[in-house]
Amino acid sequence: MSEPLEDGDPPAGLRLTTAEWGLWQAFRNGTRHDLRTGDLAEDDPGGDRVWGPRRTVRARVISTLLLHGPPPLLGRVAALHLSGALITGRLDLSGGTVQPYFELRHCRFDEEVLLSECRLSTGRLLGCRLPRLEAARLTTDGDLHLPRCSIPGGIRLTDAVIGTDLMLNEVTVGGGRRGRAIAADGMTVGQDLQASLLLAGGEVSLRGARIGGSLFMYGSELRNRRGPYALHAPQLEVARFAHFASFGNAGARHLLSSTPPTGTRYPLTGRDGARPQLRPHPSPDPSGPPVQPFLCDGGMKLDDGRFGDSLVLEGARLELERGQELSLRRVQTPELCFTPERVTEGRVVLAGATVGNLVDRADSWPRHEGLWMAGFSYEHLIPIGSFPLAERLRWVATATPEYSAEPYEQLATVLRNGGEDNEARTVLLAKQRRRRETLPLAGKLWGYLQDWTVAYGYQPVRALLWMLLLWASGALFFRSNAPEPRNDEESPHWDAGVYALDLLLPLIDLGHDTAWRPEGFHQWMATGLVLAGWVLATTVAAGATRLLRRQ
């Protein structure tokens, strides 16, 4: 940065106008220079009213003040506070160092603002309209605030370093170069990124961004019709919370202290050519304000993201087309809150994600093969509302159009760790029945036999009932149809019940099955009991082995 002006007078070549001279004096005094008329329609930066010379300030004057400004008056701190001005020319601070604090309110720029590789303390543009903001590799020691700005040409913050907070609340931004509304790949934010009630008409790209606090996107609308993703944020790291949720509850309203709870109108053109508005929904509390859901019209990619406390998709609306995804591949977070409106097209992908608590709702998950979760692991299930086990099994079946054992075993493990052993056995039984459909005919027949007799060993009481039924039938039969003894002198005392039990128990010899010689139909009855005993023993052993392996 060049040396500042030693005296308080502007360079002779500037030839300041009345509006610019007032700004010059206000800068030295640290006070606000307000050029607004007080008429809301007249002062609207996005309106069609003409702002004349009395409200016009050249960008060159502003850059001179910020880069080479005069010293402040005694007892004052130099700062640029400008409201309601038409700023002509290109405001170019690229590569410069801006030491004074600056705040521009409700200003209208006729050319883009350039802050590439600029270093500043804190900068604020509030409610302004500017064609484009180019700020790649910008560095700030404090905040960068752009709330309620309208930027139809897009924002570029690639590799920018924001010292504390980045505020994009209620920003209206159009698709800029290559269809990107916000290009912020590799950006670092020291604390929070607040982008609630944001309306983006192109891709929002946060690939590889690092956020030291939390990310808030309450009630934002992200729309992209020119590419696969409305939000493209793989490898995003958020130290605390990432909220893609509804705006209207108390937890969201505190972020926008001066923002109307129902939102504001936006000038971007919708898919039907009309100007869209925030679309408030009725509040769950009839006495409360309307609720504006987070809306993503296009794909949403958060692959390989890291979220220190939680990732929240609460009350969100995801409007996906066929082939588009909400992609959470390999995401890691202690808690995933998944309670959006149900996705009817596209896919939800959780492959390889690792989650501690899974907070979800039954009617939030997609149907008809719209869910992929191979390798998805979670430790606890915290359902909101009714989520019966039958719905859980449908959830797993949706994610496995082709049989895969892993989702069933993951669910069974979580249920067992939560003390729900009966539910865990039901899940594993469902897994065996799905697996049976993939087997050849012989395997299917054997599977049906195991299912019918002992439910693959997961219902051992059923084997005992079959054993009792076969034993009672055999005892009744042989009581009136006693076979001939093999040796009259050495044969034990005849007992039909003991004889039938000895036939049924394949590995235990009670000394009765070999002491008698059944013939004809009696022999077929005895052989049937022996085979039934072996089948029951084999299926019970297979089931016991599976249970012991799970333990």
Side-chain angles (χ1 to χ4, degrees):
M1 172 180 172
S2 301
E3 292 295 325
L5 299 173
E6 294 183 359
D7 55 20
D9 295 330
L14 274 183
R15 297 182 180 178
L16 299 183
T17 65
T18 302
E20 294 168 348
W21 180 255
L23 176 62
W24 191 275
Q25 296 303 320
F27 176 84
R28 298 190 63 198
N29 203 36
T31 57
R32 182 174 304 282
H33 186 49
D34 195 342
L35 301 176
R36 291 175 293 180
T37 65
D39 185 333
L40 293 179
E42 181 70 28
D43 293 334
D44 183 5
D48 54 4
R49 300 291 181 90
V50 176
W51 291 2
R54 298 180 60 182
R55 300 184 64 172
T56 301
V57 176
R58 288 171 292 168
R60 181 187 174 191
V61 175
I62 294 176
S63 61
T64 300
L65 288 170
L66 293 178
L67 297 174
H68 314 281
L73 299 176
L74 292 178
R76 299 289 185 176
V77 176
L80 192 148
H81 296 269
L82 178 61
S83 299
L86 169 62
I87 300 174
T88 59
R90 178 176 295 174
L91 180 58
D92 188 354
L93 302 174
S94 300
T97 299
V98 178
Q99 293 180 349
Y101 170 89
F102 70 90
E103 179 178 294
L104 303 174
R105 288 177 173 265
H106 306 102
C107 292
R108 181 188 296 175
F109 293 78
D110 67 355
E111 293 190 35
E112 63 184 358
V113 175
L114 304 180
L115 300 176
S116 297
E117 301 191 41
C118 174
R119 184 177 185 92
L120 54 87
S121 56
T122 292
R124 296 182 177 176
L125 282 76
L126 287 75
C128 297
R129 179 177 177 84
L130 52 155
R132 178 174 172 82
L133 175 61
E134 187 71 37
R137 297 173 297 283
L138 167 72
T139 300
T140 74
D141 297 325
D143 300 339
L144 177 63
H145 287 191
L146 303 170
R148 293 179 291 281
C149 284
S150 177
I151 312 174
I155 301 172
R156 187 183 181 200
L157 288 166
T158 306
D159 297 320
V161 179
I162 310 301
T164 50
D165 294 338
L166 173 60
M167 184 176 289
L168 300 174
N169 293 333
E170 284 198 284
V171 169
T172 302
V173 55
R177 296 166 187 172
R178 296 187 296 175
R180 286 188 173 184
I182 300 177
D185 297 344
M187 178 181 66
T188 300
V189 179
Q191 295 183 15
D192 294 343
L193 169 52
Q194 297 185 21
S196 297
L197 297 177
L198 167 75
L199 178 62
E203 180 182 279
V204 175
S205 183
L206 296 171
R207 179 172 56 86
R210 306 288 184 269
I211 300 173
S214 299
L215 167 63
F216 299 106
M217 279 196 170
Y218 289 110
S220 296
E221 293 193 7
L222 313 181
R223 300 177 180 274
N224 184 23
R225 291 290 178 177
R226 292 183 285 176
Y229 296 106
L231 177 61
H232 185 254
Q235 301 175 348
L236 173 66
E237 291 189 11
V238 180
R240 299 201 63 200
F241 307 95
H243 282 239
F244 305 94
S246 298
F247 177 83
N249 56 63
R253 287 199 302 274
H254 80 279
L255 298 173
L256 301 170
S257 57
S258 61
T259 301
T262 56
T264 55
R265 297 187 178 184
Y266 295 99
L268 291 183
T269 300
R271 71 177 69 178
D272 56 357
R275 290 185 174 184
Q277 301 180 22
L278 282 173
R279 298 175 296 176
H281 282 202
S283 171
D285 179 6
S287 62
V291 173
Q292 165 64 27
F294 169 83
L295 180 130
C296 185
D297 188 355
M300 184 171 173
K301 186 173 184 178
L302 298 173
D303 293 355
D304 299 295
R306 302 292 183 270
F307 304 92
D309 286 341
S310 66
L311 170 60
V312 179
L313 291 98
E314 180 181 1
R317 180 184 300 165
L318 307 173
E319 296 183 358
L320 305 179
E321 296 181 351
R322 188 174 298 276
Q324 292 182 331
E325 297 177 343
L326 164 60
S327 183
L328 304 176
R329 291 176 172 88
R330 299 173 297 280
V331 161
Q332 294 184 15
T333 180
E335 182 169 286
L336 170 62
C337 179
F338 190 88
T339 58
E341 297 180 14
R342 174 169 287 154
V343 176
T344 57
E345 293 288 340
R347 293 184 296 267
V348 174
V349 183
L350 287 162
T354 303
V355 172
N357 298 329
L358 176 59
V359 182
D360 62 350
R361 198 174 56 198
D363 57 1
S364 291
W365 295 104
R367 303 282 195 187
H368 310 300
E369 304 181 9
L371 175 62
W372 292 1
M373 56 182 192
F376 175 43
S377 64
Y378 48 94
E379 298 177 6
H380 305 284
L381 289 171
I382 307 176
I384 295 178
S386 176
F387 207 145
L389 184 59
E391 284 291 331
R392 281 287 176 202
L393 291 175
R394 278 192 285 271
W395 174 63
V396 174
T398 299
T400 54
E402 295 184 1
Y403 168 73
S404 175
E406 183 180 13
Y408 288 94
E409 294 178 354
Q410 170 69 41
L411 177 57
T413 299
V414 170
L415 291 173
R416 185 180 294 110
N417 292 341
E420 300 178 358
D421 292 337
N422 291 334
E423 288 80 358
R425 285 194 292 270
T426 302
V427 172
L428 293 175
L429 176 58
K431 182 197 78 169
Q432 291 295 333
R433 288 170 174 167
R434 281 288 306 277
R435 175 179 176 272
R436 182 176 65 207
E437 302 306 315
T438 67
L439 300 176
L441 180 59
K444 287 182 180 179
L445 293 176
W446 175 242
Y448 279 115
L449 181 60
Q450 291 188 82
D451 194 359
W452 186 52
T453 53
V454 293
Y456 287 94
Y458 295 114
Q459 296 180 10
V461 175
R462 189 183 296 183
L464 178 60
L465 294 176
W466 276 108
M467 186 71 74
L468 290 174
L469 178 61
L470 290 172
W471 172 77
S473 300
L476 289 174
F477 175 81
F478 286 112
R479 176 173 296 178
S480 57
N481 298 277
E484 295 294 330
R486 294 184 182 276
N487 189 329
D488 292 337
E489 297 179 357
E490 298 180 2
S491 296
H493 176 72
W494 168 249
D495 189 310
V498 175
Y499 180 68
L501 184 62
D502 203 4
L503 292 172
L504 276 172
L505 298 177
L507 301 178
I508 300 176
D509 185 7
L510 301 179
H512 278 252
D513 58 339
T514 57
W516 309 94
R517 186 175 63 247
E519 296 179 353
F521 182 73
H522 297 176
Q523 186 176 6
W524 284 106
M525 185 64 178
T527 302
L529 288 176
V530 171
L531 292 176
W534 275 105
V535 169
L536 286 174
T538 303
T539 53
V540 169
T545 301
R546 282 191 289 268
L547 288 175
L548 291 173
R549 188 182 298 121
R550 298 297 175 272
Q551 296 295 334

